Amino acid sequence: MNAHVAIKTKDVSPYEHVIDTRQFSPEYLDRLFAKADEILDNNKRGYDHVLRGMVIGIVFYEASTRTRFSFESAVARLGGHRVTTENAEQFSSSVKGESLTDTVRILSGNCDMLVMRHKDDDACERAYPFSVSGHNRCRVPMINAGNGKEQHPTQALLDAYTIKMYHGRLHNLRVAIVGDLLHGRTCGSLAYILSKFPGNEILFVSPEEFRIKQGIKDHLKEHDVDFGEYTCLAPVVKNIDVLYMTRVQKERFASEGGVKEKEWYAAQDRINLTQKIVDSMKPKSLIMHPLPRNSELPKCIDNDSRAKYFEQADNGLPIRMALLSFLAEGIR
Ligand code: NCD
């Protein structure tokens, strides 16, 4: 990550932009989660002064339901205005050949913060230096709402918040992260956030061809996080605190040819969750999923008391409200 992402502004807002899950400190997470708790205690009401007079650009180059809706709802509940495009790949000047950095430079001239989802792994990393207003050369905080296969920092925030909500801690946890770990950006982002706390162990479960990326394994080694890699779900779930399921990211490997799809379907019986596997889990473990789901997470599990994926999705709103309000403090 480029060093000047993490320049401190005011005390309440330690980061100028939200680009990479690695940028959050445990202290920042504590404060953010306390703010999200307070927002929930107040039933998300009473915050419509926070973004008053501000315009937030919400630009999605990739499909989204949860992330875009919760950002839009967060801005509305904080009293800000939204300028949005949900299909920027078709409706922005990228169809005319404009570069992403030029587009960001123009968008940021029209708003006070910019939330962006993009298919390129490094889109926000490349674009945030261009997120400035031309009138006063003022920085316009950019928030990464999911970039390619690499980063989904606000998902990692709400995932960690959900784990803390039910387990009361983010340390000394055994977490299984399951699915298409090679292409899924939420898997690596969760691993990065868990690496900030002591005593966590991560069990990565995926078909052989969809293993977690080497860069993430290197990061975990550097931070002394225990982890293992497995190709079958059933034997690993007995003693875990969190089961984090994810879907196959077919749209991301279309360009790699059809081979991977065949490999995924050949392996899916070893990876998909079943009632029998759930029955072998501890009564207090959590079943999570960033959603959307495919066949890896059957609906029959929805009524199990351990299934928390809808609560997890709901947590996107207070977390994004807290995040936007911290960023707003930094630019007031
Ligand atoms: C995830 C994403 O976009 O990476 N969805 C989400 O934001 N909740 C997971 C996915 O698409 O599989």
Side-chain angles (χ1 to χ4, degrees):
M1 187 176 65
N2 198 318
H4 62 279
V5 176
I7 289 172
K8 287 200 176 197
T9 52
K10 282 189 192 170
D11 201 33
V12 71
S13 176
Y15 308 112
E16 290 199 317
H17 304 271
V18 175
I19 306 297
D20 185 315
T21 314
R22 286 168 288 189
Q23 77 186 70
F24 306 119
S25 67
E27 297 71 36
Y28 180 84
L29 295 177
D30 274 351
R31 284 195 296 128
L32 189 83
F33 294 171
K35 183 74 185 173
D37 284 346
E38 177 213 293
I39 289 170
L40 284 183
D41 286 347
N42 291 318
N43 199 17
K44 298 163 270 184
R45 306 224 171 91
Y47 295 90
D48 55 358
H49 57 285
V50 174
L51 295 181
R52 189 170 298 148
M54 289 194 182
V55 174
I56 314 302
I58 302 183
V59 186
F60 276 57
Y61 287 80
E62 270 193 339
S64 171
T65 304
R66 279 146 289 273
T67 307
R68 192 170 60 80
F69 257 66
S70 64
F71 267 116
E72 299 224 6
S73 174
V75 173
R77 286 171 184 277
L78 295 170
H81 299 280
R82 290 151 288 152
V83 181
T84 80
T85 173
E86 63 190 74
N87 192 353
E89 193 67 32
Q90 272 176 17
F91 298 148
S92 77
S93 284
S94 79
V95 284
K96 301 182 189 172
E98 185 171 61
S99 69
L100 179 67
T101 53
D102 275 2
T103 303
V104 164
R105 176 66 191 75
I106 299 301
L107 296 173
S108 56
N110 288 281
C111 50
D112 300 291
M113 293 188 217
L114 199 54
V115 178
M116 188 171 84
R117 169 170 284 197
H118 202 279
K119 64 182 183 339
D120 291 351
D121 293 350
D122 62 349
C124 285
E125 183 74 24
R126 276 191 287 130
Y128 81 82
F130 299 85
S131 194
V132 284
S133 149
H135 295 119
N136 48 11
R137 302 301 298 165
C138 216
R139 154 184 71 81
V140 173
M142 171 176 273
I143 303 168
N144 183 347
N147 268 188
K149 306 182 287 303
E150 289 297 324
Q151 284 283 342
H152 198 344
T154 64
Q155 180 72 39
L157 291 175
L158 73 93
D159 291 345
Y161 182 63
T162 306
I163 294 172
K164 181 128 191 244
M165 182 177 261
Y166 292 104
H167 279 306
R169 64 183 198 279
L170 282 169
H171 59 274
N172 292 344
L173 293 164
R174 293 189 89 220
V175 180
I177 304 182
V178 185
D180 179 359
L181 309 181
L182 179 62
H183 303 97
R185 57 195 170 202
T186 65
C187 307
S189 299
L190 178 60
Y192 284 139
I193 222 156
L194 290 170
S195 74
K196 295 175 184 297
F197 299 90
N200 289 329
E201 184 185 346
I202 305 180
L203 302 94
F204 292 112
V205 186
S206 71
E208 192 66 45
E209 301 77 11
F210 296 81
R211 286 156 70 124
I212 195 81
K213 290 182 273 292
Q214 189 57 45
I216 293 165
K217 290 192 268 187
D218 292 343
H219 176 90
L220 296 177
K221 279 182 201 147
E222 272 165 38
H223 290 80
D224 286 327
V225 182
D226 277 346
F227 67 89
E229 292 182 88
Y230 307 86
T231 55
C232 188
L233 179 58
V236 309
V237 300
K238 288 187 184 60
N239 276 316
I240 57 170
D241 301 298
V242 179
L243 174 60
Y244 189 90
M245 299 294 297
T246 64
R247 73 181 170 95
V248 60
Q249 307 272 312
K250 260 194 262 178
E251 73 276 24
R252 300 202 189 286
F253 56 75
S255 58
E256 297 167 16
V259 184
K260 279 226 154 56
E261 193 162 346
K262 273 190 225 133
E263 285 158 347
W264 177 268
Y265 287 110
Q268 76 172 353
D269 286 351
R270 280 181 278 131
I271 299 297
N272 285 355
L273 191 58
T274 61
Q275 187 64 54
K276 194 164 167 226
I277 295 177
V278 172
D279 291 344
S280 71
M281 290 170 62
K282 294 196 292 190
K284 286 264 156 72
S285 38
L286 310 178
I287 304 169
M288 296 176 62
H289 194 304
L291 303 175
R293 62 173 151 187
N294 296 163
S295 58
E296 72 285 349
L297 179 58
K299 289 194 174 167
C300 62
I301 289 157
D302 293 1
N303 292 328
D304 192 290
S305 60
R306 291 163 286 193
K308 299 295 182 208
Y309 26 92
F310 290 114
E311 288 82 352
Q312 178 188 356
D314 289 348
N315 282 339
L317 181 55
I319 280 294
R320 290 179 174 120
M321 285 175 73
L323 185 73
L324 290 171
S325 64
F326 279 12
L327 289 167
E329 282 287 332
I331 55 171
R332 280 252 181 239

